[in-house]
Amino acid sequence: AEKIREIWRKLHGCWKNQNPRNFLAADGLARQLLAEFVPVKHREFEEKKVRILNRFVPVMNYIENHLSEKITLQNLASLVHLQPNYFSNLFVECFGIPPMKYLRQIRIQRAQSMLLKKDAKFAQIADETGFCDIFHFSKSFKEITGISPTNFQKTAMNRVY
């Protein structure tokens, strides 16, 4: 549990201080965090927790494959045949973050990778990451990363070129 908390603290630090280096570090830390829940090599997890975590695989896959679409708590809960409130509580218990906040963070991570492309268009990025417009995209981006998409892109381009 302490190892998971430490990975989470590092991951949160990367999200707060966004730059291309931290974006890559966050990606690695997110994978490391998920690896902590893989039951194959981590027998110390109780069987109940493994079953619960495995239950979220369809949710994670759905989010990854439908990021550009409107995703509701009800959609996610129905994937695992749970009531939305119970699903949300279980998600928080397993991952330490509410499901809709997790969704927003995944959308912003995808947007960050898209912003690394020189010809990136904000309207297209907002659309492909499930934001209804550029305003909501920019607002969410800044809330999560601490900087605007424009500043993130400028910083990334200055480091790459």
Side-chain angles (χ1 to χ4, degrees):
E2 184 57 38
K3 185 175 181 181
I4 292 169
R5 278 193 275 280
E6 182 59 30
I7 294 169
W8 182 253
R9 279 192 283 272
K10 288 178 183 178
L11 187 58
H12 185 68
C14 288
W15 284 332
K16 282 187 147 189
N17 184 18
Q18 285 297 320
N19 60 52
R21 181 173 181 261
N22 281 353
F23 173 72
L24 293 173
D27 183 59
L29 287 166
R31 291 173 191 273
Q32 191 177 359
L33 184 63
L34 288 174
E36 289 298 315
F37 295 101
V38 175
V40 176
K41 293 187 179 180
H42 299 282
R43 292 188 181 139
E44 67 272 10
F45 283 104
E46 302 124 32
E47 197 172 306
K48 180 183 175 191
K49 283 190 176 184
V50 171
R51 280 195 317 273
I52 291 170
L53 291 169
N54 283 336
R55 221 174 165 179
F56 285 107
V57 170
V59 173
M60 300 306 186
N61 289 337
Y62 183 85
I63 288 171
E64 190 66 32
N65 295 322
H66 297 87
L67 208 52
S68 65
E69 300 169 18
K70 181 178 179 178
I71 299 174
T72 65
L73 184 61
Q74 179 65 42
N75 294 136
L76 298 178
S78 69
L79 291 170
V80 290
H81 311 289
L82 296 174
Q83 293 297 319
N85 284 342
Y86 183 69
F87 167 79
S88 185
N89 291 337
L90 199 56
F91 195 97
V92 170
E93 184 182 320
C94 289
F95 300 104
I97 183 172
M100 300 315 285
K101 186 172 183 179
Y102 172 82
L103 172 63
R104 243 176 34 139
Q105 289 179 344
I106 295 299
R107 285 180 163 155
I108 296 303
Q109 285 176 0
R110 174 81 55 88
Q112 287 174 315
S113 67
M114 295 172 79
L115 284 167
L116 296 176
K117 297 176 184 167
K118 195 172 189 175
D119 59 343
K121 305 283 186 241
F122 287 6
Q124 181 181 358
I125 293 171
D127 185 55
E128 290 182 22
T129 55
F131 290 95
C132 58
D133 56 42
I134 296 173
F135 172 77
H136 287 97
F137 163 65
S138 295
K139 183 179 175 189
S140 290
F141 192 97
K142 188 163 186 174
E143 281 177 12
I144 290 175
T145 66
I147 62 172
S148 70
T150 303
N151 287 340
F152 176 84
Q153 190 176 46
K154 284 179 185 175
T155 302
M157 291 302 157
N158 288 337
R159 292 178 190 230
V160 172
Y161 298 104

